[in-house]
Amino acid sequence: MAAPGSEEHPIWSIGPFTNRGMVLAVILTVALQLAVIYLPVANRIFRTQPLLPIEAISAGLAHLTLLIVEIWKAVAHRRHCAR
């Protein structure tokens, strides 16, 4: 049997907050990325500019892949357990 958190178990079966270090790393990374994109002082330093609404929407839609993979794992896990 695979360990929880493996490629076989959906995130909601093991809990998305079980690895605190990973959660903090993701939060910090997202916060820093948003700061570089949207803070005027960071725009000057890193030569960036805020995303257009359509760009922000497309970036958000990219996360649908994660949802699809998690649903796929849940279905596969149920089929495996039903055998």
Side-chain angles (χ1 to χ4, degrees), residues 48-64:
T48 59
Q49 59 186 6
L51 294 175
L52 298 173
I54 191 69
E55 294 168 332
I57 290 168
S58 65
L61 288 176
H63 290 89
L64 284 177

Side-chain angles (χ1 to χ4, degrees), residues 7-69:
E7 296 173 355
E8 299 174 6
H9 296 277
I11 189 70
W12 53 82
S13 72
I14 60 170
F17 303 106
T18 54
N19 186 340
R20 287 186 187 185
M22 181 63 75
V23 171
L24 290 174
V26 169
I27 290 171
L28 181 61
T29 300
V30 169
L32 290 173
Q33 287 176 339
L34 291 173
V36 167
I37 294 170
Y38 292 108
L39 290 178
V41 68
N43 291 161
R44 288 190 299 274
I45 294 169
F46 294 100
R47 297 181 186 174
T48 59
Q49 59 186 6
L51 294 175
L52 298 173
I54 191 69
E55 294 168 332
I57 290 168
S58 65
L61 288 176
H63 290 89
L64 284 177
T65 304
L66 173 64
L67 179 63
I68 292 167
V69 168

